[in-house]
Amino acid sequence: MSIFFIILSLLLWGLIHTLLASLRFKSFLANLFGTVAMRGYRLFYNVFSVISFLPILYLVAILPDARLYSVPAPWLYLMLLGQGVSVVLLIVGVLQTDTLYFVGLRQLFEEEKPAKFVTNGLYRLVRHPLYTAGLLFLWLSPQVTVNSFTMYVGVTIYILIGAYFEERKLLREFGSVYVEYKSCTPMLIPWLKLRRS
């Protein structure tokens, strides 16, 4: 029963998160409130995404649960080190994309400019380094319960779906430049090159 509630909450969160991120919904709001009012949208979106995810974490913590696995030392320390590296990679990835823009603060004070196409640093290794680092952090957890495993699977599926739709948006935004970048840079796993027949 716990798994059902966690999956249901993830599904609800994912649908709302996707709707709020869609260009169609943002265009609708811009027509309704004007472009000036939309300056705070990215900040609102980020804050709302974090706050609305907290009930899922609460469910994972309070619902009946069972331990799935627990990694013993010394592997435990290696996994914790890997999680630490993942956090550093997340920070570096955010810094590469203009932190104030990423959070949504820059848009409050400046007119929104076209997105900058970043291909250096971590973006040279993978097209979505923030997703890669986030997934690494999740799956390097040394202690996993049934509830947390359910959440990790749900978040992983959502990230993969999100990456697909983000790529469609980037293709519309950057066109052939993104097609070329996509052809020579793996999506999530560095140095993994999938050959197309």
Side-chain angles (χ1 to χ4, degrees), residues 104-147:
L105 290 172
R106 188 178 302 286
Q107 293 88 321
L108 293 176
F109 307 105
E110 298 175 10
E111 190 139 340
E112 191 157 356
K113 297 169 186 163
K116 189 176 151 193
F117 186 44
V118 181
T119 58
N120 61 339
L122 297 178
Y123 289 85
R124 194 178 237 166
L125 300 172
V126 287
R127 300 194 302 269
H128 302 282
L130 300 180
Y131 294 162
T132 298
L135 289 171
L136 270 175
F137 183 84
L138 287 183
W139 291 107
L140 286 174
S141 298
Q143 294 185 17
V144 175
T145 65
V146 172
N147 287 356

Side-chain angles (χ1 to χ4, degrees), residues 82 84-94 96 122 129-130 132-133 136:
V85 170
S86 301
V87 170
V88 171
L89 291 174
L90 275 168
I91 293 167
V92 170
V94 169
Q96 276 193 265
L122 297 178
L130 300 180
T132 298
L136 270 175

Side-chain angles (χ1 to χ4, degrees), residues 33-40 107:
F33 300 112
T35 52
V36 175
M38 291 299 290
R39 284 189 176 186
Q107 293 88 321

